[in-house]
Amino acid sequence: MHSTGTATPSAPAPAETLAGPAEDPHGEAGRHARRFGLPVATALVMGNIIGGGIFLLPASIAPYGTVSLVAFVVLTVGAVALALVFGRLAARHPRTGGPYVYAREAFGDFAGFLAAWSYWITTWVSNAALAVAAVGYLDVLIPVEGHRWTACLAALFLQWLPALANFAGTRYVGAVQLVSTVLKFVPLLLVAVGGLFFFDPSRLGPFNAGGHSAVGAVSASAALLLFSYLGVESAAVSAGEVEDARRNVGRATVIGTAGAALVYLLGTLSVFGTVPHGRLVTSTAPFSDAVNTMFGGSWGGTAVALAALVSMTGCLNGWTLLSAQTPYAAARDGLFPAAFTRRRRGVPTVGVGVTVVLASLLTCYNYLSGSGRVFEVLVLVTTFTATVPYLLAASAQIFHLVSGRPEAVDRGRLVRDSVVTAVAAAFSVWLMAGAGYAAVYQGALFLFAGVIVYAVMAARRQRGRTPVTEAP
């Protein structure tokens, strides 16, 4: 038994209709759907930020040298600025959909659609990238990387398992997210704090190993590192499922982002200082290698690999929910197909199903195409597609600040909000530029394919509003 909404072509759905659990009059959603409090909302943000990225990216950015640590600091400043912007926007519009809602409220349907479409692409491409990263740690436990088909099947299994948890309802999504977030901190803190006692500066390698200029190396490595911070908007996207969203979304976003940033910086520094640079560049499980270097043998690396798999599965669990939330919000407004409004037990089931199928197809394509750098390719595509809704959200905040409307602007915080928003907007543009020509090209193909979808949906909405008259 589930509740199915219908798109309303003439006006956006009111905030209360996006709450989720209240939509089911028969009570089934109430048993399996539950609103998120501040702890779970914070866990959703931290769990989605600290997922596969931190466990693999130390090896991905190692070819750039320790200059990538500078990129990490710059990226952290930008991520916190984005977190503050999302918090302010969520207080103004506490509805499910996040950047989609903010862009549509400020600039209209087309901007809202672009935000929803690009964010949706980000989520399912990210799921494929996370599954690929998880296979690298699974290989520590069970050898799978040596055979392409085995690795592909393992990645598909890791995608479908969280999807099944989502079909069970938001109650179980929240429980899995909270437990996996706690468990993932064990290996991260072990390396982040313990690794400092085994730190050897001689293992860091050259400062700028890639041959780029310093600015170019920072931009290029930051484009890869952005993947580690995807998820800063998680609480805002799921605002309709958060208790006291006007207050808790902003708090969860800032606390979750700041906590993730601290773990990231210490963890990456420790990995750089414990694993020799030449070995780190080719590593598929850098945190496992770090623990093995610290304590000797292979038991530590095996334990870290197991914890990393739990972490990544939890991250996939949260991203699978987010992947369905934005299309659901857009579908309620008639900008996505109406099928995306179907919910069961608090979860937009069609969105989850379509997303996991698309991510699976992309995973198969990348494994079978013979690409040797699957993870980096997928990460850079999501770098471009993620910056589109980020930039639109920051622009929406600029619009509200410049408009000067009393109901949209807090005069006492005008200067601070303006500086933070300017940093977030500049940060988004910088990351888009740093993604590189290939990533922008591939991401743009995904993005502009959505224009055709928008044309069809806009025509259907127009036809639904216009009465048909017979010609004389």
Side-chain angles (χ1 to χ4, degrees):
M1 189 179 302
H2 62 276
S3 172
T4 304
T6 56
T8 304
S10 58
E16 60 268 18
T17 66
L18 297 174
E23 291 180 1
D24 189 353
H26 303 287
E28 182 176 357
R31 292 194 301 271
H32 300 279
R34 180 176 297 170
R35 286 184 178 275
F36 302 145
L38 178 60
V40 174
T42 303
L44 185 65
V45 175
M46 294 191 72
N48 284 354
I49 292 177
I50 304 176
I54 184 59
F55 287 104
L56 189 60
L57 278 179
S60 298
I61 62 176
Y64 295 101
T66 52
V67 69
S68 56
L69 295 176
V70 178
F72 236 138
V73 174
V74 176
L75 193 66
T76 298
V77 173
V80 171
L82 274 176
L84 292 169
V85 168
F86 280 121
R88 297 295 293 160
L89 289 169
R92 186 179 294 116
H93 303 295
R95 294 172 46 193
T96 293
Y100 157 73
V101 172
Y102 313 144
R104 183 170 182 261
E105 291 287 343
F107 308 121
D109 287 348
F110 185 63
F113 174 84
L114 285 182
W117 179 262
S118 57
Y119 188 75
W120 183 52
I121 291 171
T122 299
T123 56
W124 57 264
V125 174
S126 294
N127 279 4
L130 278 169
V132 170
V135 168
Y137 280 91
L138 179 63
D139 190 59
V140 176
L141 305 174
I142 306 171
V144 293
E145 286 278 32
H147 192 278
R148 189 181 302 171
W149 274 108
T150 304
C152 183
L153 290 175
L156 293 177
F157 174 78
L158 291 169
Q159 288 177 32
W160 280 90
L161 191 61
L164 295 177
N166 271 263
F167 285 131
T170 54
R171 175 180 181 180
Y172 301 100
V173 173
V176 170
Q177 200 67 29
L178 193 57
V179 171
S180 63
T181 299
V182 172
L183 290 178
K184 74 178 61 179
F185 273 94
V186 175
L188 288 174
L189 290 177
L190 175 65
V191 174
V193 179
L196 297 178
F197 294 95
F198 296 87
F199 191 88
D200 184 351
S202 66
R203 294 171 177 165
L204 291 175
F207 177 73
N208 187 355
H212 303 82
S213 66
V215 174
V218 169
S219 297
S221 56
L224 281 174
L225 288 168
L226 173 65
F227 185 79
S228 296
Y229 279 104
L230 293 183
V232 64
E233 71 293 333
S234 299
V237 172
S238 297
E241 282 65 55
V242 177
E243 295 177 354
D244 192 8
R246 293 185 187 276
R247 183 166 178 254
N248 284 337
V249 166
R251 294 170 66 194
T253 301
V254 174
I255 293 172
T257 303
L262 181 62
V263 173
Y264 273 177
L265 289 171
L266 289 178
T268 304
L269 180 63
S270 293
V271 171
F272 271 48
T274 53
V275 181
H277 181 262
R279 181 180 173 189
L280 182 60
V281 169
T282 59
S283 175
T284 60
F287 272 74
S288 292
D289 290 340
V291 173
N292 288 338
T293 301
M294 290 160 56
F295 301 109
S298 61
W299 66 267
T302 300
V304 170
L306 183 60
L309 281 174
V310 172
S311 170
M312 293 181 184
T313 303
C315 188
L316 282 166
N317 175 67
W319 271 108
T320 300
L321 175 64
L322 291 187
S323 69
Q325 296 285 27
T326 297
Y328 166 77
R332 292 296 300 266
D333 295 332
L335 299 181
F336 261 53
F340 283 92
T341 62
R342 296 175 185 167
R343 296 171 70 102
R344 181 179 176 85
R345 299 175 175 177
V347 175
T349 50
V350 172
V352 170
V354 172
T355 294
V356 72
V357 168
L358 289 173
S360 298
L361 292 174
L362 183 59
T363 300
C364 292
Y365 169 77
N366 278 276
Y367 271 112
L368 301 181
S369 67
S371 173
R373 307 289 287 181
V374 176
F375 182 76
E376 284 80 358
V377 170
L378 296 180
V379 165
L380 289 174
V381 170
T382 60
T383 299
F384 172 80
T385 56
T387 53
V388 174
Y390 287 175
L391 182 59
L392 285 170
S395 299
Q397 178 70 340
I398 292 174
F399 169 79
H400 292 306
L401 294 173
V402 175
S403 69
R405 292 178 298 169
E407 71 277 8
V409 178
D410 183 345
R411 297 287 182 179
R413 302 177 50 159
L414 180 59
V415 174
R416 186 176 74 176
D417 285 350
S418 298
V419 172
V420 169
T421 305
V423 171
F427 171 70
S428 300
V429 173
W430 173 59
L431 284 171
M432 190 177 294
Y437 292 109
V440 172
Y441 170 74
Q442 295 176 46
L445 289 179
F446 281 118
L447 182 63
F448 289 121
V451 176
I452 300 173
V453 177
Y454 177 80
V456 173
M457 297 306 301
R460 293 179 62 183
R461 294 177 71 213
Q462 182 67 28
R463 187 173 60 188
R465 286 199 298 260
T466 305
V468 178
T469 58
E470 295 184 0

